[in-house]
């Protein structure tokens, strides 16, 4: 929050608190000095008046050479007025000078408070920076704050312990999914080989060949499922293996591979790329782009359907846009598309069918896209396309911005 254009941070509040406390203490001190000085001046001026009134007392007794009593009284009145005016002027001058000094010292106290608060809050900024790096990259980093055993050190140690538990939990989950995927790959590969051999030996038996073809499609879907789970499990683990890669070059390679598949499915696949480098893992980026294009082909049921893939520079990042024709997609159902094993009710029949050489997906395509994008510090946004279909935008930080 900003007040008068200035950030209302803890440092600002502490600085104002220091300055405010100093100002209140200064005002209290001025009031005390004002009252005490007033009493002291009253005493001194009272002594002065008594001393000055002594000749008047002698004059009232008719001492020779003295002024008449009335003139003495007038002179005493003038002296009393001058004394009281001097008292008021002294107190007013003291009050004005004191408030000016307190105002100047309050500003100085605020500046000193700003510097002291910044120094005191530096460990909190270190904790925040580490937490952001952990959230953007991996849970392996720790705060490891040095210093005396105080409240901030206790907070850092507590966050380190929490990160340690989260790291162990996520590592255990990733290892389980990865191990399960690897264990499933072997029997699925064996099953696919046996089915292919059986199809070769089936001969003219149409029923056996149809059964083998169906089993082969089911087996291929299960292989895609295990590959998707393995990609989700390994996404975070590949974060430390990032290198500078050309996003347009990877997208162009995937488009070249999938163009024959799109043509057999009756879908036009167009592409336009601009140079843009990102920090990432080429394998994961390939899976992201491949999943987006395969989904766009699979759910493209419009006559003369098309898929457009292009990259563009967007601020300090690189944007990948995949747009396709297809069925109408309600905007409120788009967030569920990025959840694992979730499909739109309107496209469930399409998911169960094949689109050319592309078999039915496992419902992990966009989940993998979101996971890979987040691993690379990017964002995914999907919006309904007018007339049917989707527009999916994936934004990645540029390599220079990531550095």
């Amino acid at each position: 929050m900003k007040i008068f254009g200035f950030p209302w941070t803890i440092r600002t509040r502490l600085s104002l608190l220091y300055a405010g406390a100093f100002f209140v203490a200064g005002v209290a001190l001025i009031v005390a000095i004002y009252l005490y000085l007033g009493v002291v001046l009253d005493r001194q001026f009272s002594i002065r008046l008594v001393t000055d009134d002594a000749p008047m007392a002698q004059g009232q007794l008719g001492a020779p050479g003295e002024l008449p009593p009335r003139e003495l009284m007038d002179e005493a009145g003038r002296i009393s007025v001058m004394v009281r005016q001097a008292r008021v002027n002294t107190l007013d001058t003291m009050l004005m000078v004191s408030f000016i000094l307190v105002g100047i010292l309050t500003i100085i106290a605020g500046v000193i408070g700003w510097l002291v608060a910044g120094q005191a809050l530096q460990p909190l900024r270190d904790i925040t920076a580490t937490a952001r790096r952990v959230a953007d990259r991996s849970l392996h980093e720790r705060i490891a704050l040095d210093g005396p055993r105080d409240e901030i050190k206790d907070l850092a140690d507590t966050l380190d312990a929490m990160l340690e538990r989260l790291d162990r939990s996520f590592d255990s989950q990733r290892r389980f999914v990865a191990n399960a995927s690897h264990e499933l790959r072997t029997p699925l590969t064996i099953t696919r080989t046996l089915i292919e051999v059986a199809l070769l030996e089936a001969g003219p038996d149409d029923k056996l060949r149809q059964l083998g073809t169906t089993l082969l499609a089911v087996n291929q879907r299960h292989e895609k499922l295990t590959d998707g789970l393995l990609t989700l499990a390994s996404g975070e683990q590949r974060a430390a293996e990032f290198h500078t890669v050309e996003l347009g070059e990877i997208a162009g390679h995937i488009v070249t591979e999938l163009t024959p598949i799109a043509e057999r499915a009756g879908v036009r696949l167009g592409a336009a790329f601009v140079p843009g480098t990102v920090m990432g893992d080429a394998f994961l980026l390939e899976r992201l782009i491949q999943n987006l294009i395969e989904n766009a082909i699979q759910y493209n049921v419009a006559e003369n359907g098309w898929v457009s893939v292009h990259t563009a520079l967007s601020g300090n990042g690189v944007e990948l846009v995949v747009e396709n024709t297809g069925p109408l997609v309600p905007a409120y159902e788009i967030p569920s598309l990025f959840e694992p094993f979730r499909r739109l009710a309107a496209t469930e029949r399409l998911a169960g069918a094949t689109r050319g050489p592309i078999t039915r997906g496992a419902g992990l395509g966009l989940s993998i896209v979101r996971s890979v994008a987040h691993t690379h510090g990017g964002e995914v946004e999907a919006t309904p396309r007018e007339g049917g279909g989707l527009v999916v935008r994936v934004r990645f930080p540029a390599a220079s911005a990531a550095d």
Side-chain angles (χ1 to χ4, degrees), residues 42-119:
D42 286 341
R43 289 178 181 178
Q44 290 182 351
F45 291 152
S46 297
I47 295 174
R48 177 74 179 275
L49 288 174
V50 171
T51 304
D52 293 339
D53 286 346
M56 290 190 297
Q58 295 177 0
Q60 289 173 353
L61 294 175
E66 295 294 334
L67 294 175
R70 179 175 295 278
E71 294 180 357
L72 288 173
M73 292 179 64
D74 293 340
E75 182 68 17
R78 286 195 298 272
I79 293 174
S80 176
V81 170
M82 293 174 61
V83 168
R84 294 185 182 279
Q85 186 64 39
R87 175 185 180 277
V88 172
N89 292 339
T90 300
L91 291 177
D92 290 345
T93 302
M94 186 276 301
L95 201 62
M96 182 180 64
V97 173
S98 298
F99 273 113
I100 292 175
L101 290 176
V102 167
I104 295 174
L105 292 176
T106 298
I107 296 174
I108 295 175
V111 174
I112 295 175
W114 174 266
L115 298 176
V116 172
Q119 188 67 26

Side-chain angles (χ1 to χ4, degrees), residues 9-189:
T9 60
I10 294 180
R11 186 178 184 181
T12 304
R13 295 198 293 269
L14 287 176
S15 302
L16 293 178
L17 180 63
Y18 297 153
F22 183 88
F23 180 78
V24 171
V27 170
L29 181 62
I30 291 174
V31 171
I33 293 176
Y34 181 86
L35 296 177
Y36 180 74
L37 184 61
V39 173
V40 171
L41 291 176
D42 286 341
R43 289 178 181 178
Q44 290 182 351
F45 291 152
S46 297
I47 295 174
R48 177 74 179 275
L49 288 174
V50 171
T51 304
D52 293 339
D53 286 346
M56 290 190 297
Q58 295 177 0
Q60 289 173 353
L61 294 175
E66 295 294 334
L67 294 175
R70 179 175 295 278
E71 294 180 357
L72 288 173
M73 292 179 64
D74 293 340
E75 182 68 17
R78 286 195 298 272
I79 293 174
S80 176
V81 170
M82 293 174 61
V83 168
R84 294 185 182 279
Q85 186 64 39
R87 175 185 180 277
V88 172
N89 292 339
T90 300
L91 291 177
D92 290 345
T93 302
M94 186 276 301
L95 201 62
M96 182 180 64
V97 173
S98 298
F99 273 113
I100 292 175
L101 290 176
V102 167
I104 295 174
L105 292 176
T106 298
I107 296 174
I108 295 175
V111 174
I112 295 175
W114 174 266
L115 298 176
V116 172
Q119 188 67 26
L121 294 175
Q122 182 60 42
L124 286 180
R125 286 196 290 270
D126 295 339
I127 293 174
T128 302
T130 303
R132 285 175 179 169
R133 288 196 302 270
V134 168
D136 292 339
R137 298 179 183 177
S138 66
L139 296 173
H140 301 302
E141 189 175 356
R142 299 292 178 267
I143 298 171
L145 184 67
D146 296 328
R149 190 76 182 181
D150 53 12
E151 291 83 355
I152 297 179
K153 183 69 165 58
D154 290 340
L155 173 62
D157 292 343
T158 302
L159 290 176
D160 280 342
M162 181 185 68
L163 290 174
E164 182 69 28
R165 290 194 297 271
L166 288 174
D167 192 17
R168 288 198 303 267
S169 175
F170 282 109
D171 275 345
S172 176
Q173 182 183 21
R174 283 194 295 266
R175 283 195 303 269
F176 171 78
V177 175
N179 292 335
S181 300
H182 279 298
E183 291 297 326
L184 287 173
R185 267 183 166 182
T186 301
L188 288 174
T189 303

Side-chain angles (χ1 to χ4, degrees), residues 46-383:
S46 297
I47 295 174
R48 177 74 179 275
L49 288 174
V50 171
T51 304
D52 293 339
D53 286 346
M56 290 190 297
Q58 295 177 0
Q60 289 173 353
L61 294 175
E66 295 294 334
L67 294 175
R70 179 175 295 278
E71 294 180 357
L72 288 173
M73 292 179 64
D74 293 340
E75 182 68 17
R78 286 195 298 272
I79 293 174
S80 176
V81 170
M82 293 174 61
V83 168
R84 294 185 182 279
Q85 186 64 39
R87 175 185 180 277
V88 172
N89 292 339
T90 300
L91 291 177
D92 290 345
T93 302
M94 186 276 301
L95 201 62
M96 182 180 64
V97 173
S98 298
F99 273 113
I100 292 175
L101 290 176
V102 167
I104 295 174
L105 292 176
T106 298
I107 296 174
I108 295 175
V111 174
I112 295 175
W114 174 266
L115 298 176
V116 172
Q119 188 67 26
L121 294 175
Q122 182 60 42
L124 286 180
R125 286 196 290 270
D126 295 339
I127 293 174
T128 302
T130 303
R132 285 175 179 169
R133 288 196 302 270
V134 168
D136 292 339
R137 298 179 183 177
S138 66
L139 296 173
H140 301 302
E141 189 175 356
R142 299 292 178 267
I143 298 171
L145 184 67
D146 296 328
R149 190 76 182 181
D150 53 12
E151 291 83 355
I152 297 179
K153 183 69 165 58
D154 290 340
L155 173 62
D157 292 343
T158 302
L159 290 176
D160 280 342
M162 181 185 68
L163 290 174
E164 182 69 28
R165 290 194 297 271
L166 288 174
D167 192 17
R168 288 198 303 267
S169 175
F170 282 109
D171 275 345
S172 176
Q173 182 183 21
R174 283 194 295 266
R175 283 195 303 269
F176 171 78
V177 175
N179 292 335
S181 300
H182 279 298
E183 291 297 326
L184 287 173
R185 267 183 166 182
T186 301
L188 288 174
T189 303
I190 296 174
T191 303
R192 175 165 51 84
T193 303
L194 293 176
I195 294 174
E196 290 175 348
V197 172
L199 285 175
L200 292 175
E201 298 178 353
D205 191 345
D206 293 337
K207 291 185 178 180
L208 183 58
R209 182 171 295 276
Q210 183 179 1
L211 176 60
T213 303
T214 304
L215 291 176
L216 192 61
V218 172
N219 191 83
Q220 186 176 359
R221 180 175 178 271
H222 289 163
E223 286 181 343
K224 292 186 65 174
L225 173 60
T226 56
D227 287 342
L229 291 174
L230 184 59
T231 302
L232 285 175
S234 62
E236 290 290 338
Q237 296 172 348
R238 290 176 174 264
E241 304 173 5
F242 285 177
H243 305 284
T244 303
V245 293
E246 177 66 44
L247 187 64
E249 181 180 349
I250 296 177
H253 174 68
I254 299 299
V255 168
T256 301
E257 286 187 348
L258 295 180
T259 297
I261 298 176
E263 291 176 352
R264 288 197 293 270
V267 177
R268 298 194 317 274
L269 182 56
F273 307 113
V274 298
T277 58
V278 299
M279 292 297 296
D281 181 88
F283 170 78
L284 293 179
L285 292 175
E286 285 180 358
R287 289 301 304 269
L288 180 147
I289 300 171
Q290 182 178 349
N291 284 353
L292 286 177
I293 298 177
E294 285 185 350
N295 276 1
I297 297 174
Q298 172 71 22
Y299 296 98
N300 203 319
V301 296
E303 187 177 357
N304 297 323
W306 52 265
V307 176
S308 173
V309 184
H310 69 270
T311 60
L313 298 179
S314 175
N316 293 329
V318 182
E319 185 178 69
L320 170 71
V321 181
V322 178
E323 182 178 359
N324 67 279
T325 55
L328 292 173
V329 180
Y332 61 86
E333 290 192 12
I334 287 181
S336 64
L337 294 177
F338 293 92
E339 298 298 327
F341 309 109
R342 293 289 298 274
R343 302 187 185 90
L344 295 178
T347 60
E348 187 68 34
R349 179 181 58 80
L350 300 175
T354 59
R355 187 69 173 169
I358 301 178
T359 59
R360 175 184 177 181
L364 290 174
L366 292 181
S367 300
I368 294 174
V369 169
R370 183 178 62 179
S371 176
V372 173
H374 289 177
T375 300
H376 289 75
E379 298 178 351
V380 183
E381 177 187 2
T383 55

